[in-house]
Amino acid sequence: MTNNINNDSVIMESLFNNVNKTRLEISATTDREEKLVLGQFFTEPRIASFMSKMFGNEEEHVKLLDPGAGIGILATASVIHFCNLKNRPKSIELIAVEIDSKLISYLEQSLENCKSLCEDNEILFNYEIITNDFVDYAANLIKSKSNYQFTKVILNPPYKKIYSKSLTRRLLNEVGIETTNYYTAFVALSKRLLQKNGELIAITPRSFCNGTYFKSFRIDFLSDMRFRKIHIFDSRDASFKDDEVLQENIIYHAVKTTDRQPVEISSSFNIEGKTTSHMLDYDRLIEPLDTEKFIRILRDESDLKIKLSMEGAKCTLDELGIKVSTGKVVDFRTKANLRDQPEKGTVPLIYPFHFNSGYVNWPVNPAPKPNAILQNEFTQKMLVPKGNYVLVKRFSSKEEPKRIVPSIYKENFLDAEYIGFENHVNYFHINGQGLSLVFAKGLAVYLSSTVVDGFFRQFNGHTQVNVGDLKNIPYPTYDQVIQLGSMIGESFPSQEEVDQLIEDILHIFL
């Protein structure tokens, strides 16, 4: 070879410096609204390098796909990685797909630099830039039943919703993909273009790991892909801090196979921080009998201890005869029926700001939102009959110590035959009716516990608490819930008292 790769570090550093300089310049001059429209946030080079090093299979002929290639950061990182291997490939064939025509000249320059590096290391390098929407490109490739299959895919897909009547949605449906976001669409398409034992590396939001919205994607992805490595960041802005993106992202490496092996779980505060890792049995990451296919990321021995402790809670909500729903009052759709203060003909309207130390405090004055809603023919279908209910905030703030924030609405608290629960509130009920007060107290205590919060965080990586997430939590038996509730008086117990009750009655230990 004409150059020893160990002496090429200056060349490689120069490559990364150039592409990073371009990244920062484009990010600084691109309007944030334009970024949001495109869902375009460039990968930080150190993260790109970290991702590329996850590739495990060494092969003579690499066929690499970079969907949404941008200015070529991930492609550059991948080529540098392949050049650094002891057993370097003989050839690299790269397809880079990018829809933004303004980026093509930068992308071409990056790939020409990659070509020069490969020539220095006697690797045959060919590339093709596809200036097109990746969904359109990939869907047509799949429909044509092309024999072109990639050995590796690396991607940082766009983050934006897909509208139900859009061309994108139709193209995805034509190739059997049902999803609501571009990032999962890119991943679902990419894995279809992989050959057997091909590798996929992606950085995406963690939101696909749980919830109803991404159930179809999880089932589809896991039908023929298996995770090998997952990395999580403790800092919410670690991935795209230059673009001020506060999104909890994960990096994962998966292989197109049905062979289940232990998965390496690693974490760090940010890309510069110390990384810790451990191996997790595949069946603990995705429980074989879980029809929802939730992905439960246990980051350390403490998480594993919580998971094992929670195995003592064996009941589902269905087995308890309990349902959970989201409040039906969407305030902006019924503004004419809202009232700041209760008056004749109104009923209480409960928002998250009415939650106070385990119980509902109503009305609140002054209040950021209305305290009441008119009861009439139009609003009646949005209301629930009086009763005892356990409420849970749908969105918890980053400042709150718990993801699940419950509160008890007591039947005798207000003289009202009906109540309205606003859409940012989930509520537990029995076929639309209230719970017994002692059961409501016991359920709220259980949901308030530190161990339930820790378990919930293993599959929920954001501040939203969906109905599907609450259904996926294991619950104590009916008698145990009653026993917990019988210990609660008019004041809700402190966190220390809650956790002690969980230990004493449920024998669930932290």
Side-chain angles (χ1 to χ4, degrees), residues 317-337:
L317 285 181
D318 286 343
E319 290 169 338
L320 290 172
I322 304 297
K323 299 183 184 298
V324 59
S325 303
T326 299
K328 300 174 184 177
V329 179
V330 182
D331 55 9
F332 68 85
R333 292 178 181 167
T334 185
K335 287 183 179 180
N337 292 297

Side-chain angles (χ1 to χ4, degrees), residues 332-348:
F332 68 85
R333 292 178 181 167
T334 185
K335 287 183 179 180
N337 292 297
L338 305 182
R339 297 293 184 269
D340 288 340
Q341 299 300 329
E343 60 184 57
K344 186 176 180 180
T346 66
V347 299

Side-chain angles (χ1 to χ4, degrees), residues 78-89:
S78 299
V79 169
I80 290 174
H81 167 69
F82 298 139
C83 287
N84 266 314
L85 293 174
K86 182 178 180 180
N87 297 316
R88 302 173 205 169

Side-chain angles (χ1 to χ4, degrees), residues 61-348:
H61 304 288
V62 172
K63 290 185 177 181
L64 175 66
L65 173 65
D66 185 355
I71 59 174
I73 296 171
L74 287 173
T76 300
S78 299
V79 169
I80 290 174
H81 167 69
F82 298 139
C83 287
N84 266 314
L85 293 174
K86 182 178 180 180
N87 297 316
R88 302 173 205 169
K90 292 180 179 179
S91 69
I92 300 173
E93 187 175 347
L94 169 66
I95 299 291
V97 187
E98 176 52 52
I99 192 173
D100 189 351
S101 59
K102 298 192 301 296
L103 303 180
I104 299 303
S105 61
Y106 302 107
L107 175 58
E108 187 170 11
Q109 184 59 56
S110 295
L111 300 188
E112 283 295 319
N113 291 336
C114 289
K115 187 173 184 178
S116 297
L117 179 63
C118 286
E119 287 174 353
D120 288 343
N121 289 281
E122 298 181 352
I123 298 173
L124 179 63
F125 181 80
N126 290 306
Y127 70 85
E128 181 181 0
I129 296 174
I130 307 292
T131 309
N132 193 7
D133 175 13
F134 176 68
V135 173
D136 182 51
Y137 165 77
N140 285 318
L141 199 61
I142 293 166
K143 286 189 292 183
S144 70
K145 296 183 168 35
S146 169
N147 289 326
Y148 198 106
Q149 289 185 310
F150 297 91
T151 63
K152 301 182 190 297
V153 180
I154 188 166
L155 71 160
N156 169 15
Y159 306 163
K160 60 177 182 175
K161 289 185 178 180
I162 299 172
Y163 295 104
S164 58
K165 296 182 180 180
S166 64
L167 173 62
T168 298
R169 193 66 170 266
R170 181 172 64 79
L171 288 170
L172 291 170
N173 288 339
E174 287 175 359
V175 292
I177 296 173
E178 181 61 41
T179 189
T180 59
N181 199 292
Y182 270 89
Y183 87 82
T184 45
F186 270 50
V187 173
L189 289 165
S190 295
K191 72 110 176 182
R192 281 166 168 75
L193 297 176
L194 275 177
Q195 68 180 35
K196 185 178 180 181
N197 294 317
E199 300 176 272
L200 180 146
I201 295 171
I203 179 169
T204 73
R206 186 178 167 180
S207 52
F208 77 90
C209 292
N210 66 292
T212 304
Y213 289 126
F214 296 104
K215 179 179 178 180
S216 295
F217 167 75
R218 289 193 300 274
I219 291 173
D220 175 69
F221 184 77
L222 296 170
S223 66
D224 57 359
M225 298 292 291
R226 294 293 180 267
F227 290 104
R228 291 291 184 257
K229 300 174 185 176
I230 297 176
H231 185 84
I232 53 180
F233 294 106
D234 298 324
S235 170
R236 294 181 68 84
D237 63 352
S239 304
F240 303 102
K241 61 182 179 181
D242 295 326
D243 290 310
E244 300 179 351
V245 177
L246 292 176
Q247 174 68 261
E248 186 158 358
N249 292 284
I250 63 173
I251 297 170
Y252 48 95
H253 169 234
V255 177
K256 195 163 189 176
T257 180
T258 55
D259 179 26
R260 294 204 299 267
Q261 297 178 9
V263 183
E264 181 181 351
I265 307 294
S266 60
S267 64
S268 62
F269 180 77
N270 53 32
I271 197 61
E272 300 164 336
K274 180 182 177 182
T275 298
T276 60
S277 66
H278 71 108
M279 301 305 293
L280 180 68
D281 286 345
Y282 203 89
D283 288 351
R284 292 201 180 278
L285 179 73
I286 303 158
E287 296 178 359
L289 299 180
D290 181 10
T291 58
E292 299 291 321
K293 298 300 178 186
F294 276 27
I295 299 163
R296 305 167 191 273
I297 304 174
L298 312 185
R299 68 177 70 197
D300 52 30
E301 290 299 318
S302 175
D303 272 1
L304 180 57
K305 183 179 178 182
I306 289 173
K307 176 70 168 59
L308 292 173
S309 296
M310 288 292 287
E311 289 177 357
K314 298 181 180 298
C315 284
T316 65
L317 285 181
D318 286 343
E319 290 169 338
L320 290 172
I322 304 297
K323 299 183 184 298
V324 59
S325 303
T326 299
K328 300 174 184 177
V329 179
V330 182
D331 55 9
F332 68 85
R333 292 178 181 167
T334 185
K335 287 183 179 180
N337 292 297
L338 305 182
R339 297 293 184 269
D340 288 340
Q341 299 300 329
E343 60 184 57
K344 186 176 180 180
T346 66
V347 299

Side-chain angles (χ1 to χ4, degrees), residues 296-457:
R296 305 167 191 273
I297 304 174
L298 312 185
R299 68 177 70 197
D300 52 30
E301 290 299 318
S302 175
D303 272 1
L304 180 57
K305 183 179 178 182
I306 289 173
K307 176 70 168 59
L308 292 173
S309 296
M310 288 292 287
E311 289 177 357
K314 298 181 180 298
C315 284
T316 65
L317 285 181
D318 286 343
E319 290 169 338
L320 290 172
I322 304 297
K323 299 183 184 298
V324 59
S325 303
T326 299
K328 300 174 184 177
V329 179
V330 182
D331 55 9
F332 68 85
R333 292 178 181 167
T334 185
K335 287 183 179 180
N337 292 297
L338 305 182
R339 297 293 184 269
D340 288 340
Q341 299 300 329
E343 60 184 57
K344 186 176 180 180
T346 66
V347 299
L349 177 57
I350 308 301
Y351 283 85
F353 69 81
H354 290 110
F355 290 25
N356 184 27
S357 301
Y359 289 96
V360 166
N361 176 35
W362 183 94
V364 169
N365 291 304
K369 296 277 188 175
N371 277 294
I373 183 170
L374 284 172
Q375 182 181 3
N376 54 38
E377 185 177 347
F378 178 77
T379 63
Q380 187 62 47
K381 62 181 178 294
M382 307 176 193
L383 309 178
V384 298
K386 70 176 182 180
N388 304 299
Y389 297 93
V390 175
L391 315 181
V392 171
K393 292 183 182 181
R394 275 188 65 204
F395 297 91
S396 57
S397 69
K398 295 192 294 292
E399 293 74 25
E400 286 179 301
K402 296 293 180 63
R403 292 278 174 84
I404 301 178
V405 182
S407 190
I408 300 168
Y409 180 94
K410 294 169 64 175
E411 181 175 12
N412 63 1
F413 176 62
L414 299 169
D415 184 20
E417 293 299 313
Y418 286 89
I419 321 105
F421 296 135
E422 195 269 336
N423 195 243
H424 287 76
V425 172
N426 295 316
Y427 64 101
F428 289 83
H429 57 94
I430 301 176
N431 295 322
Q433 304 289 320
L435 315 167
S436 73
L437 182 57
V438 66
F439 186 91
K441 288 181 177 181
L443 180 59
V445 166
Y446 177 71
L447 292 171
S448 298
S449 66
T450 301
V451 68
V452 168
D453 181 71
F455 180 83
F456 187 78
R457 289 172 186 267

